[in-house]
Amino acid sequence: MAADTAAGRLADEPIDHRFKGLPPDADGLTVGELAAQRRDLFDGGFTTPVLALSSEAMEHNLALMEHYAAEHGLAFAPHGKTSMSPQLFELQIERGAWGITAAVPHQARVYRAFGVRRIFLANELVDAAALRWLAGELDAHPDFRCITYADSVRGVELMDEALRACGARRPVEVVIELGAGDGARTGARTEADCTAVADAVAAAPTLRLVGVAGYEGEVPKPDGERVRAWLDRLVALTVAFDRDGRFADLDEIVLSAGGSAWFDTVADVFAGVPALSRPVLKLLRSGAYVSHDDGHYRRITPFNRVPEEGALHPAFRLWTQVVSRPEPGQAFVNAGKRDAAYDIDLPEPQVVRSARDGSLRPATGITVSGLSDQHAWLRLAEGTELEVGDWVGLGLSHPCTSFDKWQLIPVTTDRSTVTDFIRTFF
């Protein structure tokens, strides 16, 4: 990572009390200075709980998805909400990402503060203050591109009113969002609804229709057949809009889908897009792959269906210490809801590091039965060895709610030597 970029300059940030888990004796050092010391996670003064990211796993995952997108003819705008880490954005773009996806204006502002030049805003933007900011960014920076959703005629009216009021000079690019079905999340529900929204965009001089998009992860009761059927509708809508001449003044047509659960089906369906009047930018948006996980995404990753194309590696490990062993079958470690994701699965004990001699052993017979704010409740099988002071390494589920609990995350080589730190901005 270049030191002269905004993300690179995060290494100059001073270490202090804001960042949990870091060595108290590192206060006053910069992030870069602490990283250069290459301290050991266990013996280098780090306090528990502390979340660590495996450098090897992250590098593997970055390379795998870069290769996957290229092999399938997909552009890639990974969703940045997962990590909100400008350093990871920079690495993703260096690995060939077209840009970074955002969900809300705050995220887009963070991206711009760190020089992201292409943003896919996967929501209808109707906030007048945010639209004024976006118009200002577009007018001031000719090389900046932002594409946002539109899914209602009223939303288009609000966008146009706000952009007219602030004197926007560059039209905002929009894609029509096709909803994934009744009871799903956002998106116009029918092709007729999408056509009405597209007509409204065409009538608004402050907006420019550039394509069609949606999110297959919201298909009700998703399976391969249902997801494919919805993606076929998305492609057919794009073809119909092109046939009607809606993209006549474009250099390319944007077609976007793809979360982290069905990108294999997206790749397969998008491979069959027929020739249109303009080249098609087939934009994938999967974001959870950088860290992957030991729960939800381990179960649902498309690589389970196409193992010949590779496998993502879990990069997170939350290190905790046993602080109480009050009963034969019960122990408590010092990490809870403030430290670990718990919205989908509870953490998974994976490894124990002895406080006596530093030896590692599998966390056999240990399960997490619940979380308090600052404690994990461990249930121990009969005869399980575990002492107060032992370190317990937990695997986590759901990257999006793991990153957001940590402002500065140590990056480790071989799970122990701290070589860098990832800064997040939630």
Side-chain angles (χ1 to χ4, degrees), residues 30-71:
T30 66
V31 171
E33 288 169 342
L34 180 57
Q37 293 182 356
R38 298 179 67 86
R39 297 196 188 192
D40 186 80
L41 188 70
F42 305 113
D43 300 323
F46 289 86
T47 64
T48 55
V50 59
L51 179 66
L53 278 165
S54 164
S55 174
E56 294 90 347
M58 285 198 301
E59 283 296 321
H60 168 85
N61 295 343
L62 286 163
L64 178 60
M65 285 305 291
E66 176 188 22
H67 176 77
Y68 185 90
E71 282 290 298

mmCIF file of all heavy atoms in Angstrom, residues 30-71:
data_model
loop_
_atom_site.group_PDB
_atom_site.id
_atom_site.type_symbol
_atom_site.label_atom_id
_atom_site.label_comp_id
_atom_site.label_asym_id
_atom_site.label_seq_id
_atom_site.Cartn_x
_atom_site.Cartn_y
_atom_site.Cartn_z
ATOM 1 N N THR A 30 2.966 5.694 16.542
ATOM 2 C CA THR A 30 2.018 5.697 15.441
ATOM 3 C C THR A 30 1.665 4.252 15.096
ATOM 4 O O THR A 30 2.356 3.301 15.491
ATOM 5 C CB THR A 30 2.600 6.376 14.196
ATOM 6 O OG1 THR A 30 3.690 5.583 13.692
ATOM 7 C CG2 THR A 30 3.065 7.788 14.504
ATOM 8 N N VAL A 31 0.598 4.110 14.331
ATOM 9 C CA VAL A 31 0.193 2.771 13.883
ATOM 10 C C VAL A 31 1.333 2.112 13.110
ATOM 11 O O VAL A 31 1.643 0.931 13.301
ATOM 12 C CB VAL A 31 -1.079 2.860 13.022
ATOM 13 C CG1 VAL A 31 -1.399 1.521 12.375
ATOM 14 C CG2 VAL A 31 -2.268 3.334 13.862
ATOM 15 N N GLY A 32 1.975 2.882 12.245
ATOM 16 C CA GLY A 32 3.073 2.335 11.463
ATOM 17 C C GLY A 32 4.251 1.922 12.326
ATOM 18 O O GLY A 32 4.896 0.892 12.070
ATOM 19 N N GLU A 33 4.556 2.711 13.342
ATOM 20 C CA GLU A 33 5.672 2.373 14.227
ATOM 21 C C GLU A 33 5.384 1.089 15.005
ATOM 22 O O GLU A 33 6.273 0.245 15.171
ATOM 23 C CB GLU A 33 5.948 3.528 15.182
ATOM 24 C CG GLU A 33 6.590 4.734 14.501
ATOM 25 C CD GLU A 33 6.614 5.965 15.388
ATOM 26 O OE1 GLU A 33 5.844 6.009 16.389
ATOM 27 O OE2 GLU A 33 7.371 6.898 15.083
ATOM 28 N N LEU A 34 4.147 0.926 15.489
ATOM 29 C CA LEU A 34 3.801 -0.295 16.201
ATOM 30 C C LEU A 34 3.861 -1.497 15.265
ATOM 31 O O LEU A 34 4.372 -2.559 15.633
ATOM 32 C CB LEU A 34 2.419 -0.166 16.832
ATOM 33 C CG LEU A 34 1.923 -1.384 17.624
ATOM 34 C CD1 LEU A 34 2.894 -1.754 18.739
ATOM 35 C CD2 LEU A 34 0.525 -1.128 18.189
ATOM 36 N N ALA A 35 3.354 -1.337 14.041
ATOM 37 C CA ALA A 35 3.407 -2.445 13.082
ATOM 38 C C ALA A 35 4.846 -2.845 12.796
ATOM 39 O O ALA A 35 5.161 -4.040 12.673
ATOM 40 C CB ALA A 35 2.688 -2.061 11.798
ATOM 41 N N ALA A 36 5.729 -1.851 12.701
ATOM 42 C CA ALA A 36 7.128 -2.134 12.379
ATOM 43 C C ALA A 36 7.823 -2.925 13.472
ATOM 44 O O ALA A 36 8.835 -3.599 13.219
ATOM 45 C CB ALA A 36 7.872 -0.826 12.117
ATOM 46 N N GLN A 37 7.312 -2.885 14.700
ATOM 47 C CA GLN A 37 7.912 -3.647 15.793
ATOM 48 C C GLN A 37 7.620 -5.138 15.691
ATOM 49 O O GLN A 37 8.280 -5.938 16.355
ATOM 50 C CB GLN A 37 7.415 -3.105 17.136
ATOM 51 C CG GLN A 37 7.905 -1.703 17.451
ATOM 52 C CD GLN A 37 7.431 -1.215 18.815
ATOM 53 O OE1 GLN A 37 6.668 -1.881 19.516
ATOM 54 N NE2 GLN A 37 7.885 -0.023 19.200
ATOM 55 N N ARG A 38 6.634 -5.513 14.872
ATOM 56 C CA ARG A 38 6.294 -6.915 14.625
ATOM 57 C C ARG A 38 6.151 -7.688 15.947
ATOM 58 O O ARG A 38 6.733 -8.746 16.160
ATOM 59 C CB ARG A 38 7.331 -7.575 13.710
ATOM 60 C CG ARG A 38 7.400 -6.925 12.338
ATOM 61 C CD ARG A 38 8.455 -7.584 11.465
ATOM 62 N NE ARG A 38 8.065 -8.968 11.124
ATOM 63 C CZ ARG A 38 7.289 -9.302 10.095
ATOM 64 N NH1 ARG A 38 6.786 -8.357 9.310
ATOM 65 N NH2 ARG A 38 7.014 -10.564 9.858
ATOM 66 N N ARG A 39 5.337 -7.131 16.816
ATOM 67 C CA ARG A 39 5.131 -7.778 18.107
ATOM 68 C C ARG A 39 4.324 -9.060 17.967
ATOM 69 O O ARG A 39 3.536 -9.238 17.037
ATOM 70 C CB ARG A 39 4.403 -6.829 19.060
ATOM 71 C CG ARG A 39 5.152 -5.562 19.411
ATOM 72 C CD ARG A 39 4.522 -4.919 20.618
ATOM 73 N NE ARG A 39 5.066 -3.588 20.907
ATOM 74 C CZ ARG A 39 4.825 -2.934 22.037
ATOM 75 N NH1 ARG A 39 4.050 -3.473 22.975
ATOM 76 N NH2 ARG A 39 5.330 -1.728 22.228
ATOM 77 N N ASP A 40 4.507 -9.931 18.934
ATOM 78 C CA ASP A 40 3.724 -11.150 19.002
ATOM 79 C C ASP A 40 2.371 -10.844 19.635
ATOM 80 O O ASP A 40 2.281 -10.108 20.621
ATOM 81 C CB ASP A 40 4.454 -12.206 19.828
ATOM 82 C CG ASP A 40 3.731 -13.538 19.808
ATOM 83 O OD1 ASP A 40 3.878 -14.273 18.815
ATOM 84 O OD2 ASP A 40 3.005 -13.835 20.776
ATOM 85 N N LEU A 41 1.320 -11.388 19.061
ATOM 86 C CA LEU A 41 -0.024 -11.115 19.555
ATOM 87 C C LEU A 41 -0.199 -11.557 20.999
ATOM 88 O O LEU A 41 -0.925 -10.924 21.771
ATOM 89 C CB LEU A 41 -1.056 -11.810 18.663
ATOM 90 C CG LEU A 41 -2.524 -11.475 18.926
ATOM 91 C CD1 LEU A 41 -2.836 -10.042 18.502
ATOM 92 C CD2 LEU A 41 -3.440 -12.439 18.181
ATOM 93 N N PHE A 42 0.478 -12.642 21.396
ATOM 94 C CA PHE A 42 0.297 -13.203 22.734
ATOM 95 C C PHE A 42 1.290 -12.656 23.750
ATOM 96 O O PHE A 42 0.956 -12.471 24.918
ATOM 97 C CB PHE A 42 0.409 -14.729 22.676
ATOM 98 C CG PHE A 42 -0.530 -15.358 21.693
ATOM 99 C CD1 PHE A 42 -0.048 -15.992 20.563
ATOM 100 C CD2 PHE A 42 -1.901 -15.302 21.882
ATOM 101 C CE1 PHE A 42 -0.919 -16.571 19.650
ATOM 102 C CE2 PHE A 42 -2.773 -15.871 20.976
ATOM 103 C CZ PHE A 42 -2.278 -16.510 19.849
ATOM 104 N N ASP A 43 2.499 -12.389 23.308
ATOM 105 C CA ASP A 43 3.546 -11.984 24.247
ATOM 106 C C ASP A 43 3.990 -10.540 24.063
ATOM 107 O O ASP A 43 4.914 -10.092 24.739
ATOM 108 C CB ASP A 43 4.775 -12.895 24.087
ATOM 109 C CG ASP A 43 4.444 -14.354 24.364
ATOM 110 O OD1 ASP A 43 3.633 -14.605 25.266
ATOM 111 O OD2 ASP A 43 4.992 -15.228 23.666
ATOM 112 N N GLY A 44 3.325 -9.815 23.180
ATOM 113 C CA GLY A 44 3.763 -8.461 22.862
ATOM 114 C C GLY A 44 2.997 -7.358 23.547
ATOM 115 O O GLY A 44 3.071 -6.201 23.130
ATOM 116 N N GLY A 45 2.225 -7.687 24.583
ATOM 117 C CA GLY A 45 1.534 -6.661 25.350
ATOM 118 C C GLY A 45 0.108 -6.386 24.935
ATOM 119 O O GLY A 45 -0.546 -5.506 25.512
ATOM 120 N N PHE A 46 -0.407 -7.110 23.938
ATOM 121 C CA PHE A 46 -1.803 -6.923 23.541
ATOM 122 C C PHE A 46 -2.711 -7.418 24.665
ATOM 123 O O PHE A 46 -2.407 -8.397 25.350
ATOM 124 C CB PHE A 46 -2.101 -7.682 22.250
ATOM 125 C CG PHE A 46 -1.454 -7.086 21.039
ATOM 126 C CD1 PHE A 46 -0.152 -7.429 20.694
ATOM 127 C CD2 PHE A 46 -2.126 -6.159 20.265
ATOM 128 C CE1 PHE A 46 0.459 -6.876 19.587
ATOM 129 C CE2 PHE A 46 -1.521 -5.594 19.151
ATOM 130 C CZ PHE A 46 -0.218 -5.953 18.812
ATOM 131 N N THR A 47 -3.822 -6.712 24.871
ATOM 132 C CA THR A 47 -4.761 -7.088 25.920
ATOM 133 C C THR A 47 -5.967 -7.781 25.305
ATOM 134 O O THR A 47 -6.304 -7.570 24.142
ATOM 135 C CB THR A 47 -5.215 -5.856 26.719
ATOM 136 O OG1 THR A 47 -5.939 -4.967 25.853
ATOM 137 C CG2 THR A 47 -4.029 -5.121 27.312
ATOM 138 N N THR A 48 -6.602 -8.617 26.099
ATOM 139 C CA THR A 48 -7.763 -9.345 25.602
ATOM 140 C C THR A 48 -9.055 -8.648 26.040
ATOM 141 O O THR A 48 -9.084 -8.006 27.097
ATOM 142 C CB THR A 48 -7.757 -10.787 26.130
ATOM 143 O OG1 THR A 48 -7.672 -10.755 27.555
ATOM 144 C CG2 THR A 48 -6.596 -11.563 25.564
ATOM 145 N N PRO A 49 -10.096 -8.776 25.224
ATOM 146 C CA PRO A 49 -10.136 -9.480 23.945
ATOM 147 C C PRO A 49 -9.463 -8.670 22.839
ATOM 148 O O PRO A 49 -9.387 -7.449 22.921
ATOM 149 C CB PRO A 49 -11.636 -9.628 23.682
ATOM 150 C CG PRO A 49 -12.243 -8.421 24.341
ATOM 151 C CD PRO A 49 -11.416 -8.201 25.580
ATOM 152 N N VAL A 50 -8.999 -9.385 21.821
ATOM 153 C CA VAL A 50 -8.386 -8.712 20.674
ATOM 154 C C VAL A 50 -8.747 -9.501 19.419
ATOM 155 O O VAL A 50 -8.609 -10.716 19.369
ATOM 156 C CB VAL A 50 -6.858 -8.564 20.856
ATOM 157 C CG1 VAL A 50 -6.168 -9.912 21.030
ATOM 158 C CG2 VAL A 50 -6.255 -7.777 19.696
ATOM 159 N N LEU A 51 -9.234 -8.779 18.432
ATOM 160 C CA LEU A 51 -9.582 -9.396 17.150
ATOM 161 C C LEU A 51 -8.366 -9.336 16.231
ATOM 162 O O LEU A 51 -7.711 -8.301 16.127
ATOM 163 C CB LEU A 51 -10.748 -8.640 16.498
ATOM 164 C CG LEU A 51 -11.212 -9.172 15.134
ATOM 165 C CD1 LEU A 51 -11.822 -10.568 15.278
ATOM 166 C CD2 LEU A 51 -12.224 -8.221 14.503
ATOM 167 N N ALA A 52 -8.069 -10.446 15.580
ATOM 168 C CA ALA A 52 -6.943 -10.500 14.650
ATOM 169 C C ALA A 52 -7.428 -10.982 13.285
ATOM 170 O O ALA A 52 -8.366 -11.774 13.177
ATOM 171 C CB ALA A 52 -5.859 -11.432 15.180
ATOM 172 N N LEU A 53 -6.766 -10.486 12.252
ATOM 173 C CA LEU A 53 -7.043 -10.887 10.881
ATOM 174 C C LEU A 53 -5.805 -11.564 10.314
ATOM 175 O O LEU A 53 -4.700 -11.018 10.402
ATOM 176 C CB LEU A 53 -7.401 -9.676 10.020
ATOM 177 C CG LEU A 53 -8.837 -9.178 10.085
ATOM 178 C CD1 LEU A 53 -8.937 -7.790 9.482
ATOM 179 C CD2 LEU A 53 -9.751 -10.134 9.322
ATOM 180 N N SER A 54 -5.977 -12.708 9.723
ATOM 181 C CA SER A 54 -4.865 -13.440 9.129
ATOM 182 C C SER A 54 -4.473 -12.822 7.795
ATOM 183 O O SER A 54 -5.289 -12.750 6.855
ATOM 184 C CB SER A 54 -5.262 -14.899 8.911
ATOM 185 O OG SER A 54 -4.380 -15.538 8.021
ATOM 186 N N SER A 55 -3.222 -12.395 7.704
ATOM 187 C CA SER A 55 -2.718 -11.833 6.456
ATOM 188 C C SER A 55 -2.786 -12.850 5.327
ATOM 189 O O SER A 55 -3.192 -12.529 4.198
ATOM 190 C CB SER A 55 -1.271 -11.367 6.650
ATOM 191 O OG SER A 55 -0.710 -10.939 5.432
ATOM 192 N N GLU A 56 -2.418 -14.089 5.624
ATOM 193 C CA GLU A 56 -2.407 -15.119 4.582
ATOM 194 C C GLU A 56 -3.813 -15.385 4.048
ATOM 195 O O GLU A 56 -4.008 -15.513 2.831
ATOM 196 C CB GLU A 56 -1.810 -16.419 5.134
ATOM 197 C CG GLU A 56 -0.347 -16.334 5.507
ATOM 198 C CD GLU A 56 -0.117 -15.915 6.950
ATOM 199 O OE1 GLU A 56 -1.085 -15.447 7.603
ATOM 200 O OE2 GLU A 56 1.016 -16.059 7.420
ATOM 201 N N ALA A 57 -4.795 -15.467 4.950
ATOM 202 C CA ALA A 57 -6.168 -15.733 4.508
ATOM 203 C C ALA A 57 -6.716 -14.575 3.684
ATOM 204 O O ALA A 57 -7.366 -14.781 2.647
ATOM 205 C CB ALA A 57 -7.063 -15.998 5.714
ATOM 206 N N MET A 58 -6.457 -13.337 4.130
ATOM 207 C CA MET A 58 -6.951 -12.186 3.367
ATOM 208 C C MET A 58 -6.327 -12.130 1.984
ATOM 209 O O MET A 58 -7.022 -11.882 0.985
ATOM 210 C CB MET A 58 -6.673 -10.885 4.122
ATOM 211 C CG MET A 58 -7.580 -10.653 5.301
ATOM 212 S SD MET A 58 -7.587 -8.923 5.828
ATOM 213 C CE MET A 58 -5.854 -8.681 6.197
ATOM 214 N N GLU A 59 -5.018 -12.337 1.891
ATOM 215 C CA GLU A 59 -4.351 -12.308 0.591
ATOM 216 C C GLU A 59 -4.905 -13.396 -0.329
ATOM 217 O O GLU A 59 -5.132 -13.166 -1.521
ATOM 218 C CB GLU A 59 -2.843 -12.478 0.774
ATOM 219 C CG GLU A 59 -2.142 -11.229 1.263
ATOM 220 C CD GLU A 59 -2.221 -10.087 0.261
ATOM 221 O OE1 GLU A 59 -2.119 -10.353 -0.959
ATOM 222 O OE2 GLU A 59 -2.406 -8.930 0.691
ATOM 223 N N HIS A 60 -5.127 -14.565 0.223
ATOM 224 C CA HIS A 60 -5.712 -15.651 -0.569
ATOM 225 C C HIS A 60 -7.088 -15.263 -1.090
ATOM 226 O O HIS A 60 -7.397 -15.465 -2.279
ATOM 227 C CB HIS A 60 -5.818 -16.912 0.291
ATOM 228 C CG HIS A 60 -6.660 -17.986 -0.337
ATOM 229 N ND1 HIS A 60 -6.167 -18.888 -1.249
ATOM 230 C CD2 HIS A 60 -7.982 -18.279 -0.179
ATOM 231 C CE1 HIS A 60 -7.140 -19.691 -1.644
ATOM 232 N NE2 HIS A 60 -8.250 -19.350 -1.003
ATOM 233 N N ASN A 61 -7.933 -14.695 -0.228
ATOM 234 C CA ASN A 61 -9.295 -14.352 -0.621
ATOM 235 C C ASN A 61 -9.321 -13.239 -1.660
ATOM 236 O O ASN A 61 -10.118 -13.275 -2.610
ATOM 237 C CB ASN A 61 -10.098 -13.948 0.617
ATOM 238 C CG ASN A 61 -10.279 -15.098 1.599
ATOM 239 O OD1 ASN A 61 -10.100 -16.262 1.252
ATOM 240 N ND2 ASN A 61 -10.627 -14.770 2.833
ATOM 241 N N LEU A 62 -8.477 -12.236 -1.482
ATOM 242 C CA LEU A 62 -8.389 -11.150 -2.464
ATOM 243 C C LEU A 62 -7.998 -11.687 -3.834
ATOM 244 O O LEU A 62 -8.595 -11.334 -4.864
ATOM 245 C CB LEU A 62 -7.382 -10.099 -1.999
ATOM 246 C CG LEU A 62 -7.818 -9.189 -0.848
ATOM 247 C CD1 LEU A 62 -6.608 -8.502 -0.228
ATOM 248 C CD2 LEU A 62 -8.823 -8.142 -1.325
ATOM 249 N N ALA A 63 -6.997 -12.555 -3.857
ATOM 250 C CA ALA A 63 -6.528 -13.108 -5.127
ATOM 251 C C ALA A 63 -7.583 -14.006 -5.762
ATOM 252 O O ALA A 63 -7.785 -13.988 -6.988
ATOM 253 C CB ALA A 63 -5.231 -13.881 -4.907
ATOM 254 N N LEU A 64 -8.280 -14.797 -4.942
ATOM 255 C CA LEU A 64 -9.271 -15.723 -5.477
ATOM 256 C C LEU A 64 -10.415 -14.989 -6.156
ATOM 257 O O LEU A 64 -10.812 -15.342 -7.280
ATOM 258 C CB LEU A 64 -9.807 -16.614 -4.354
ATOM 259 C CG LEU A 64 -10.909 -17.613 -4.764
ATOM 260 C CD1 LEU A 64 -10.407 -18.572 -5.831
ATOM 261 C CD2 LEU A 64 -11.418 -18.376 -3.542
ATOM 262 N N MET A 65 -10.954 -13.958 -5.512
ATOM 263 C CA MET A 65 -12.088 -13.253 -6.113
ATOM 264 C C MET A 65 -11.662 -12.404 -7.300
ATOM 265 O O MET A 65 -12.447 -12.208 -8.244
ATOM 266 C CB MET A 65 -12.812 -12.425 -5.061
ATOM 267 C CG MET A 65 -13.662 -13.265 -4.107
ATOM 268 S SD MET A 65 -14.884 -14.331 -4.937
ATOM 269 C CE MET A 65 -16.017 -13.102 -5.582
ATOM 270 N N GLU A 66 -10.439 -11.876 -7.281
ATOM 271 C CA GLU A 66 -9.927 -11.188 -8.471
ATOM 272 C C GLU A 66 -9.914 -12.152 -9.659
ATOM 273 O O GLU A 66 -10.374 -11.826 -10.762
ATOM 274 C CB GLU A 66 -8.527 -10.658 -8.204
ATOM 275 C CG GLU A 66 -7.886 -10.001 -9.427
ATOM 276 C CD GLU A 66 -6.425 -9.645 -9.212
ATOM 277 O OE1 GLU A 66 -5.784 -10.240 -8.317
ATOM 278 O OE2 GLU A 66 -5.919 -8.783 -9.946
ATOM 279 N N HIS A 67 -9.402 -13.349 -9.419
ATOM 280 C CA HIS A 67 -9.334 -14.353 -10.481
ATOM 281 C C HIS A 67 -10.734 -14.786 -10.908
ATOM 282 O O HIS A 67 -11.013 -14.921 -12.113
ATOM 283 C CB HIS A 67 -8.541 -15.558 -9.975
ATOM 284 C CG HIS A 67 -8.479 -16.695 -10.958
ATOM 285 N ND1 HIS A 67 -7.647 -16.679 -12.051
ATOM 286 C CD2 HIS A 67 -9.175 -17.883 -11.004
ATOM 287 C CE1 HIS A 67 -7.820 -17.809 -12.742
ATOM 288 N NE2 HIS A 67 -8.731 -18.547 -12.127
ATOM 289 N N TYR A 68 -11.632 -14.994 -9.936
ATOM 290 C CA TYR A 68 -12.982 -15.453 -10.258
ATOM 291 C C TYR A 68 -13.702 -14.445 -11.158
ATOM 292 O O TYR A 68 -14.307 -14.824 -12.167
ATOM 293 C CB TYR A 68 -13.776 -15.669 -8.975
ATOM 294 C CG TYR A 68 -15.142 -16.256 -9.208
ATOM 295 C CD1 TYR A 68 -15.331 -17.630 -9.225
ATOM 296 C CD2 TYR A 68 -16.254 -15.439 -9.426
ATOM 297 C CE1 TYR A 68 -16.585 -18.184 -9.466
ATOM 298 C CE2 TYR A 68 -17.508 -15.977 -9.664
ATOM 299 C CZ TYR A 68 -17.666 -17.350 -9.679
ATOM 300 O OH TYR A 68 -18.907 -17.891 -9.933
ATOM 301 N N ALA A 69 -13.647 -13.169 -10.785
ATOM 302 C CA ALA A 69 -14.320 -12.150 -11.586
ATOM 303 C C ALA A 69 -13.744 -12.102 -13.001
ATOM 304 O O ALA A 69 -14.487 -12.030 -13.990
ATOM 305 C CB ALA A 69 -14.198 -10.787 -10.900
ATOM 306 N N ALA A 70 -12.423 -12.142 -13.115
ATOM 307 C CA ALA A 70 -11.796 -12.082 -14.431
ATOM 308 C C ALA A 70 -12.172 -13.297 -15.272
ATOM 309 O O ALA A 70 -12.476 -13.176 -16.472
ATOM 310 C CB ALA A 70 -10.281 -11.978 -14.283
ATOM 311 N N GLU A 71 -12.157 -14.475 -14.667
ATOM 312 C CA GLU A 71 -12.470 -15.697 -15.397
ATOM 313 C C GLU A 71 -13.898 -15.692 -15.935
ATOM 314 O O GLU A 71 -14.175 -16.290 -16.977
ATOM 315 C CB GLU A 71 -12.276 -16.911 -14.481
ATOM 316 C CG GLU A 71 -10.839 -17.322 -14.297
ATOM 317 C CD GLU A 71 -10.246 -17.932 -15.556
ATOM 318 O OE1 GLU A 71 -10.745 -18.991 -16.007
ATOM 319 O OE2 GLU A 71 -9.290 -17.341 -16.107
#
